Amino acid sequence: MNSAIQPPLRVAPSGRSVSPRRTELPNAPQRTMLLGCGIAASMLYVAMDIVGTLGYSGYSYADHTFSELLAVGSPVRPLMILLSSIPYALLMAAFAAGVWKSAGARRAARITALLLLGYTVVGLITGLAFPMNTRQALAAGEGGLRNAMHPAGTAVMSLLLLAAMGFGATLAGRRFRYYTCATIIGLLLFGILTSLQAGRMTANLPTPWMGIEERVNIYATMLWMAMLAVGLRRHAGGGTGGEISS
């Protein structure tokens, strides 16, 4: 016999039972602000992608990757680091704290928060310490160890992100779970399409639509972050649903 005490069900006027209302977590204003950092981080990332593209003569939004904006030798690299990479990492760290504070009794939320923080740290280190070289330098054989570490860092960052999505899918209701599954499938598909042109990029050959393929992944990720922030605000307290059961 289960000795745990279960909260009593309320009875709706129709005679149907209603599960107890969700308990509001403490420090709601602070948590809301931290979760809002996830939305701000997503908007910043997209905005700086566009700004970097406009400031890089000869760069093609459709055919060149986002990493090339941060590449060694890129004229917009200092701007991207100052206004994008570091502020984005700080906002994402705050967002991870907001996810943690929204955990309640849910272990999955804490794991999601840790994975998001890991994704943020690895992404920052990869962008600052292991940037890629420009495709012209790569074609001339000027790769080096630092450039060789860039794909590895990107792969680790991607795995942490997918894991965060997997755990985070359970945090904001059934529709969010379906949406997350569709997002993961899309990320895998367009990740494969982008990787198929990696060899052409390092040989400084034309890479038609490579930038669009990668940006589908980037923007889908940013949208998922924002939707997670909104969903966690609505489902704060976790544990009880507030839905009417038959």
PDB file of all heavy atoms in Angstrom, residues 13-40:
ATOM      1  N   PRO A  13     -18.343  22.051 -10.389  1.00  0.00           N
ATOM      2  CA  PRO A  13     -19.799  22.099 -10.345  1.00  0.00           C
ATOM      3  C   PRO A  13     -20.462  21.039 -11.205  1.00  0.00           C
ATOM      4  O   PRO A  13     -21.563  20.586 -10.917  1.00  0.00           O
ATOM      5  CB  PRO A  13     -20.106  23.519 -10.870  1.00  0.00           C
ATOM      6  CG  PRO A  13     -18.897  24.316 -10.525  1.00  0.00           C
ATOM      7  CD  PRO A  13     -17.740  23.371 -10.664  1.00  0.00           C
ATOM      8  N   SER A  14     -19.793  20.613 -12.278  1.00  0.00           N
ATOM      9  CA  SER A  14     -20.361  19.599 -13.161  1.00  0.00           C
ATOM     10  C   SER A  14     -20.295  18.207 -12.552  1.00  0.00           C
ATOM     11  O   SER A  14     -20.840  17.260 -13.093  1.00  0.00           O
ATOM     12  CB  SER A  14     -19.616  19.597 -14.494  1.00  0.00           C
ATOM     13  OG  SER A  14     -18.257  19.282 -14.286  1.00  0.00           O
ATOM     14  N   GLY A  15     -19.593  18.066 -11.436  1.00  0.00           N
ATOM     15  CA  GLY A  15     -19.459  16.762 -10.813  1.00  0.00           C
ATOM     16  C   GLY A  15     -18.179  16.058 -11.158  1.00  0.00           C
ATOM     17  O   GLY A  15     -17.860  15.012 -10.603  1.00  0.00           O
ATOM     18  N   ARG A  16     -17.373  16.653 -12.078  1.00  0.00           N
ATOM     19  CA  ARG A  16     -16.106  16.041 -12.442  1.00  0.00           C
ATOM     20  C   ARG A  16     -15.026  16.463 -11.469  1.00  0.00           C
ATOM     21  O   ARG A  16     -15.048  17.580 -10.940  1.00  0.00           O
ATOM     22  CB  ARG A  16     -15.698  16.438 -13.869  1.00  0.00           C
ATOM     23  CG  ARG A  16     -16.605  15.846 -14.938  1.00  0.00           C
ATOM     24  CD  ARG A  16     -16.135  16.229 -16.316  1.00  0.00           C
ATOM     25  NE  ARG A  16     -16.220  17.678 -16.518  1.00  0.00           N
ATOM     26  CZ  ARG A  16     -15.767  18.287 -17.612  1.00  0.00           C
ATOM     27  NH1 ARG A  16     -15.192  17.580 -18.564  1.00  0.00           N
ATOM     28  NH2 ARG A  16     -15.872  19.594 -17.737  1.00  0.00           N
ATOM     29  N   SER A  17     -14.054  15.575 -11.265  1.00  0.00           N
ATOM     30  CA  SER A  17     -12.970  15.886 -10.335  1.00  0.00           C
ATOM     31  C   SER A  17     -11.951  16.773 -11.008  1.00  0.00           C
ATOM     32  O   SER A  17     -11.702  16.667 -12.199  1.00  0.00           O
ATOM     33  CB  SER A  17     -12.295  14.593  -9.856  1.00  0.00           C
ATOM     34  OG  SER A  17     -11.761  13.895 -10.956  1.00  0.00           O
ATOM     35  N   VAL A  18     -11.351  17.661 -10.239  1.00  0.00           N
ATOM     36  CA  VAL A  18     -10.344  18.581 -10.755  1.00  0.00           C
ATOM     37  C   VAL A  18      -9.096  18.440  -9.911  1.00  0.00           C
ATOM     38  O   VAL A  18      -9.162  18.470  -8.684  1.00  0.00           O
ATOM     39  CB  VAL A  18     -10.847  20.046 -10.694  1.00  0.00           C
ATOM     40  CG1 VAL A  18      -9.820  20.981 -11.279  1.00  0.00           C
ATOM     41  CG2 VAL A  18     -12.182  20.164 -11.408  1.00  0.00           C
ATOM     42  N   SER A  19      -7.968  18.231 -10.548  1.00  0.00           N
ATOM     43  CA  SER A  19      -6.722  18.094  -9.808  1.00  0.00           C
ATOM     44  C   SER A  19      -6.358  19.412  -9.170  1.00  0.00           C
ATOM     45  O   SER A  19      -6.762  20.481  -9.628  1.00  0.00           O
ATOM     46  CB  SER A  19      -5.598  17.635 -10.752  1.00  0.00           C
ATOM     47  OG  SER A  19      -5.469  18.541 -11.813  1.00  0.00           O
ATOM     48  N   PRO A  20      -5.577  19.403  -8.079  1.00  0.00           N
ATOM     49  CA  PRO A  20      -5.231  20.638  -7.373  1.00  0.00           C
ATOM     50  C   PRO A  20      -4.517  21.621  -8.275  1.00  0.00           C
ATOM     51  O   PRO A  20      -3.816  21.237  -9.198  1.00  0.00           O
ATOM     52  CB  PRO A  20      -4.303  20.138  -6.258  1.00  0.00           C
ATOM     53  CG  PRO A  20      -4.588  18.693  -6.125  1.00  0.00           C
ATOM     54  CD  PRO A  20      -4.991  18.211  -7.470  1.00  0.00           C
ATOM     55  N   ARG A  21      -4.690  22.883  -7.983  1.00  0.00           N
ATOM     56  CA  ARG A  21      -4.023  23.901  -8.779  1.00  0.00           C
ATOM     57  C   ARG A  21      -2.522  23.838  -8.584  1.00  0.00           C
ATOM     58  O   ARG A  21      -2.043  23.432  -7.543  1.00  0.00           O
ATOM     59  CB  ARG A  21      -4.525  25.305  -8.388  1.00  0.00           C
ATOM     60  CG  ARG A  21      -5.962  25.558  -8.793  1.00  0.00           C
ATOM     61  CD  ARG A  21      -6.316  27.005  -8.499  1.00  0.00           C
ATOM     62  NE  ARG A  21      -7.690  27.270  -8.883  1.00  0.00           N
ATOM     63  CZ  ARG A  21      -8.076  27.597 -10.101  1.00  0.00           C
ATOM     64  NH1 ARG A  21      -7.170  27.663 -11.062  1.00  0.00           N
ATOM     65  NH2 ARG A  21      -9.351  27.828 -10.379  1.00  0.00           N
ATOM     66  N   ARG A  22      -1.821  24.271  -9.613  1.00  0.00           N
ATOM     67  CA  ARG A  22      -0.365  24.298  -9.561  1.00  0.00           C
ATOM     68  C   ARG A  22       0.094  25.273  -8.489  1.00  0.00           C
ATOM     69  O   ARG A  22      -0.398  26.394  -8.379  1.00  0.00           O
ATOM     70  CB  ARG A  22       0.164  24.735 -10.931  1.00  0.00           C
ATOM     71  CG  ARG A  22       1.650  24.714 -11.092  1.00  0.00           C
ATOM     72  CD  ARG A  22       2.028  25.163 -12.488  1.00  0.00           C
ATOM     73  NE  ARG A  22       1.506  24.237 -13.485  1.00  0.00           N
ATOM     74  CZ  ARG A  22       0.502  24.529 -14.302  1.00  0.00           C
ATOM     75  NH1 ARG A  22      -0.108  25.690 -14.238  1.00  0.00           N
ATOM     76  NH2 ARG A  22       0.096  23.652 -15.180  1.00  0.00           N
ATOM     77  N   THR A  23       1.050  24.875  -7.677  1.00  0.00           N
ATOM     78  CA  THR A  23       1.587  25.742  -6.629  1.00  0.00           C
ATOM     79  C   THR A  23       2.597  26.697  -7.238  1.00  0.00           C
ATOM     80  O   THR A  23       3.537  26.276  -7.908  1.00  0.00           O
ATOM     81  CB  THR A  23       2.262  24.906  -5.526  1.00  0.00           C
ATOM     82  OG1 THR A  23       1.303  23.992  -5.008  1.00  0.00           O
ATOM     83  CG2 THR A  23       2.773  25.805  -4.427  1.00  0.00           C
ATOM     84  N   GLU A  24       2.400  27.955  -7.007  1.00  0.00           N
ATOM     85  CA  GLU A  24       3.320  28.958  -7.544  1.00  0.00           C
ATOM     86  C   GLU A  24       4.650  28.885  -6.808  1.00  0.00           C
ATOM     87  O   GLU A  24       4.696  28.833  -5.581  1.00  0.00           O
ATOM     88  CB  GLU A  24       2.715  30.347  -7.387  1.00  0.00           C
ATOM     89  CG  GLU A  24       3.560  31.433  -8.021  1.00  0.00           C
ATOM     90  CD  GLU A  24       3.587  31.359  -9.534  1.00  0.00           C
ATOM     91  OE1 GLU A  24       2.726  30.663 -10.106  1.00  0.00           O
ATOM     92  OE2 GLU A  24       4.477  31.975 -10.122  1.00  0.00           O
ATOM     93  N   LEU A  25       5.734  28.844  -7.557  1.00  0.00           N
ATOM     94  CA  LEU A  25       7.058  28.792  -6.958  1.00  0.00           C
ATOM     95  C   LEU A  25       7.409  30.159  -6.376  1.00  0.00           C
ATOM     96  O   LEU A  25       6.912  31.196  -6.829  1.00  0.00           O
ATOM     97  CB  LEU A  25       8.090  28.403  -8.019  1.00  0.00           C
ATOM     98  CG  LEU A  25       7.992  26.967  -8.546  1.00  0.00           C
ATOM     99  CD1 LEU A  25       8.935  26.796  -9.716  1.00  0.00           C
ATOM    100  CD2 LEU A  25       8.297  25.960  -7.462  1.00  0.00           C
ATOM    101  N   PRO A  26       8.288  30.200  -5.368  1.00  0.00           N
ATOM    102  CA  PRO A  26       8.693  31.477  -4.787  1.00  0.00           C
ATOM    103  C   PRO A  26       9.523  32.295  -5.764  1.00  0.00           C
ATOM    104  O   PRO A  26      10.031  31.786  -6.757  1.00  0.00           O
ATOM    105  CB  PRO A  26       9.522  31.060  -3.565  1.00  0.00           C
ATOM    106  CG  PRO A  26      10.011  29.691  -3.893  1.00  0.00           C
ATOM    107  CD  PRO A  26       8.922  29.052  -4.700  1.00  0.00           C
ATOM    108  N   ASN A  27       9.674  33.589  -5.461  1.00  0.00           N
ATOM    109  CA  ASN A  27      10.483  34.503  -6.273  1.00  0.00           C
ATOM    110  C   ASN A  27      10.015  34.550  -7.722  1.00  0.00           C
ATOM    111  O   ASN A  27      10.820  34.526  -8.657  1.00  0.00           O
ATOM    112  CB  ASN A  27      11.968  34.120  -6.216  1.00  0.00           C
ATOM    113  CG  ASN A  27      12.525  34.153  -4.803  1.00  0.00           C
ATOM    114  OD1 ASN A  27      12.204  35.046  -4.027  1.00  0.00           O
ATOM    115  ND2 ASN A  27      13.345  33.179  -4.461  1.00  0.00           N
ATOM    116  N   ALA A  28       8.705  34.626  -7.927  1.00  0.00           N
ATOM    117  CA  ALA A  28       8.150  34.615  -9.276  1.00  0.00           C
ATOM    118  C   ALA A  28       8.691  35.745 -10.152  1.00  0.00           C
ATOM    119  O   ALA A  28       9.032  35.507 -11.319  1.00  0.00           O
ATOM    120  CB  ALA A  28       6.623  34.657  -9.217  1.00  0.00           C
ATOM    121  N   PRO A  29       8.788  37.000  -9.660  1.00  0.00           N
ATOM    122  CA  PRO A  29       9.324  38.067 -10.524  1.00  0.00           C
ATOM    123  C   PRO A  29      10.749  37.796 -10.978  1.00  0.00           C
ATOM    124  O   PRO A  29      11.089  38.016 -12.140  1.00  0.00           O
ATOM    125  CB  PRO A  29       9.244  39.315  -9.629  1.00  0.00           C
ATOM    126  CG  PRO A  29       8.186  38.996  -8.628  1.00  0.00           C
ATOM    127  CD  PRO A  29       8.322  37.526  -8.363  1.00  0.00           C
ATOM    128  N   GLN A  30      11.576  37.308 -10.064  1.00  0.00           N
ATOM    129  CA  GLN A  30      12.959  37.001 -10.429  1.00  0.00           C
ATOM    130  C   GLN A  30      13.016  35.882 -11.450  1.00  0.00           C
ATOM    131  O   GLN A  30      13.768  35.947 -12.425  1.00  0.00           O
ATOM    132  CB  GLN A  30      13.755  36.602  -9.182  1.00  0.00           C
ATOM    133  CG  GLN A  30      15.229  36.312  -9.469  1.00  0.00           C
ATOM    134  CD  GLN A  30      15.950  35.743  -8.267  1.00  0.00           C
ATOM    135  OE1 GLN A  30      15.551  34.717  -7.732  1.00  0.00           O
ATOM    136  NE2 GLN A  30      16.992  36.436  -7.824  1.00  0.00           N
ATOM    137  N   ARG A  31      12.210  34.848 -11.243  1.00  0.00           N
ATOM    138  CA  ARG A  31      12.183  33.723 -12.179  1.00  0.00           C
ATOM    139  C   ARG A  31      11.695  34.159 -13.563  1.00  0.00           C
ATOM    140  O   ARG A  31      12.229  33.747 -14.586  1.00  0.00           O
ATOM    141  CB  ARG A  31      11.295  32.614 -11.626  1.00  0.00           C
ATOM    142  CG  ARG A  31      11.373  31.315 -12.437  1.00  0.00           C
ATOM    143  CD  ARG A  31      10.530  30.224 -11.817  1.00  0.00           C
ATOM    144  NE  ARG A  31       9.112  30.550 -11.852  1.00  0.00           N
ATOM    145  CZ  ARG A  31       8.392  30.959 -10.824  1.00  0.00           C
ATOM    146  NH1 ARG A  31       8.978  31.120  -9.654  1.00  0.00           N
ATOM    147  NH2 ARG A  31       7.109  31.219 -10.945  1.00  0.00           N
ATOM    148  N   THR A  32      10.671  35.012 -13.575  1.00  0.00           N
ATOM    149  CA  THR A  32      10.150  35.515 -14.841  1.00  0.00           C
ATOM    150  C   THR A  32      11.216  36.301 -15.586  1.00  0.00           C
ATOM    151  O   THR A  32      11.356  36.179 -16.809  1.00  0.00           O
ATOM    152  CB  THR A  32       8.918  36.405 -14.591  1.00  0.00           C
ATOM    153  OG1 THR A  32       7.901  35.636 -13.947  1.00  0.00           O
ATOM    154  CG2 THR A  32       8.379  36.967 -15.892  1.00  0.00           C
ATOM    155  N   MET A  33      11.982  37.117 -14.868  1.00  0.00           N
ATOM    156  CA  MET A  33      13.052  37.894 -15.487  1.00  0.00           C
ATOM    157  C   MET A  33      14.129  36.982 -16.063  1.00  0.00           C
ATOM    158  O   MET A  33      14.610  37.189 -17.183  1.00  0.00           O
ATOM    159  CB  MET A  33      13.658  38.852 -14.468  1.00  0.00           C
ATOM    160  CG  MET A  33      14.762  39.739 -15.042  1.00  0.00           C
ATOM    161  SD  MET A  33      15.527  40.796 -13.780  1.00  0.00           S
ATOM    162  CE  MET A  33      16.361  39.557 -12.781  1.00  0.00           C
ATOM    163  N   LEU A  34      14.509  35.957 -15.312  1.00  0.00           N
ATOM    164  CA  LEU A  34      15.543  35.035 -15.786  1.00  0.00           C
ATOM    165  C   LEU A  34      15.065  34.248 -17.006  1.00  0.00           C
ATOM    166  O   LEU A  34      15.832  34.048 -17.959  1.00  0.00           O
ATOM    167  CB  LEU A  34      15.943  34.082 -14.661  1.00  0.00           C
ATOM    168  CG  LEU A  34      16.705  34.715 -13.492  1.00  0.00           C
ATOM    169  CD1 LEU A  34      16.873  33.705 -12.350  1.00  0.00           C
ATOM    170  CD2 LEU A  34      18.063  35.239 -13.943  1.00  0.00           C
ATOM    171  N   LEU A  35      13.821  33.813 -16.984  1.00  0.00           N
ATOM    172  CA  LEU A  35      13.282  33.108 -18.144  1.00  0.00           C
ATOM    173  C   LEU A  35      13.208  34.037 -19.350  1.00  0.00           C
ATOM    174  O   LEU A  35      13.443  33.617 -20.489  1.00  0.00           O
ATOM    175  CB  LEU A  35      11.895  32.540 -17.828  1.00  0.00           C
ATOM    176  CG  LEU A  35      11.851  31.379 -16.838  1.00  0.00           C
ATOM    177  CD1 LEU A  35      10.410  30.997 -16.519  1.00  0.00           C
ATOM    178  CD2 LEU A  35      12.607  30.160 -17.379  1.00  0.00           C
ATOM    179  N   GLY A  36      12.912  35.309 -19.103  1.00  0.00           N
ATOM    180  CA  GLY A  36      12.878  36.270 -20.193  1.00  0.00           C
ATOM    181  C   GLY A  36      14.224  36.452 -20.867  1.00  0.00           C
ATOM    182  O   GLY A  36      14.301  36.848 -22.036  1.00  0.00           O
ATOM    183  N   CYS A  37      15.296  36.140 -20.139  1.00  0.00           N
ATOM    184  CA  CYS A  37      16.637  36.220 -20.733  1.00  0.00           C
ATOM    185  C   CYS A  37      16.792  35.226 -21.880  1.00  0.00           C
ATOM    186  O   CYS A  37      17.581  35.458 -22.800  1.00  0.00           O
ATOM    187  CB  CYS A  37      17.702  35.968 -19.669  1.00  0.00           C
ATOM    188  SG  CYS A  37      17.896  37.329 -18.490  1.00  0.00           S
ATOM    189  N   GLY A  38      16.056  34.123 -21.825  1.00  0.00           N
ATOM    190  CA  GLY A  38      16.101  33.163 -22.923  1.00  0.00           C
ATOM    191  C   GLY A  38      15.533  33.757 -24.197  1.00  0.00           C
ATOM    192  O   GLY A  38      16.060  33.547 -25.300  1.00  0.00           O
ATOM    193  N   ILE A  39      14.453  34.518 -24.073  1.00  0.00           N
ATOM    194  CA  ILE A  39      13.869  35.196 -25.235  1.00  0.00           C
ATOM    195  C   ILE A  39      14.810  36.281 -25.742  1.00  0.00           C
ATOM    196  O   ILE A  39      15.036  36.412 -26.949  1.00  0.00           O
ATOM    197  CB  ILE A  39      12.498  35.788 -24.858  1.00  0.00           C
ATOM    198  CG1 ILE A  39      11.552  34.678 -24.394  1.00  0.00           C
ATOM    199  CG2 ILE A  39      11.898  36.555 -26.034  1.00  0.00           C
ATOM    200  CD1 ILE A  39      10.228  35.169 -23.875  1.00  0.00           C
ATOM    201  N   ALA A  40      15.383  37.046 -24.807  1.00  0.00           N
ATOM    202  CA  ALA A  40      16.317  38.109 -25.194  1.00  0.00           C
ATOM    203  C   ALA A  40      17.544  37.539 -25.894  1.00  0.00           C
ATOM    204  O   ALA A  40      18.033  38.106 -26.872  1.00  0.00           O
ATOM    205  CB  ALA A  40      16.728  38.907 -23.959  1.00  0.00           C
TER     206      ALA A  40
END
